[in-house]
Amino acid sequence: MEDIKEHGQEQIKSEDTIINIRYDPVMQAAIDILPILGNKKKVILRAVGESIPNAVAVANIVTEKLLHGNSKVQKIKLDTEAAAGIGRMTSNIEIIIIKI
């Protein structure tokens, strides 16, 4: 039986790999994802704030350059969270890449 964890309104299966993208070089992050997609069918990229462009770049490199025709972006989820009382908002993104 599969172990499923609730995540907001979505269900994430325990076999899904979640990668948090930060300020690492995007090409290195994209290359690090290749062996994961070799073993699993789905990778979830997550980024917060100013690292969102890095996550988008990594997803584009993987799907358009490295695994062109063998992978695609299944879903992109954008969200914004507001800090209580401060009025400061932080955006986050979740990009799901699947192997086809």
Side-chain angles (χ1 to χ4, degrees):
M1 186 163 174
E2 293 180 9
D3 185 29
I4 298 177
K5 300 175 186 172
E6 292 290 330
H7 174 71
Q9 294 179 349
E10 295 226 11
Q11 292 182 346
I12 296 177
K13 297 178 184 174
S14 62
E15 66 211 29
D16 296 343
T17 302
I18 299 170
I19 299 174
N20 291 313
I21 304 295
R22 292 190 171 67
Y23 299 105
D24 299 331
V26 292
M27 187 54 99
Q28 184 61 46
I31 291 172
D32 291 344
I33 291 172
L34 292 179
I36 296 169
L37 274 174
N39 295 329
K40 307 221 176 188
K41 290 190 143 270
K42 185 191 299 187
V43 172
I44 301 171
L45 305 179
R46 287 187 181 160
V48 177
E50 294 179 2
S51 61
I52 289 174
N54 289 357
V56 173
V58 168
N60 282 336
I61 289 169
V62 169
T63 58
E64 298 298 323
K65 303 294 183 197
L66 299 176
L67 294 177
H68 183 67
N70 294 325
S71 65
K72 70 176 185 175
V73 174
Q74 181 184 35
K75 185 176 182 178
I76 299 173
K77 180 180 169 186
L78 298 170
D79 195 14
T80 303
E81 296 175 1
I86 301 173
R88 185 178 178 120
M89 300 180 81
T90 304
S91 297
N92 55 55
I93 191 169
E94 187 173 279
I95 303 170
I96 300 173
I97 299 174
I98 59 168
K99 184 172 59 171
I100 52 175

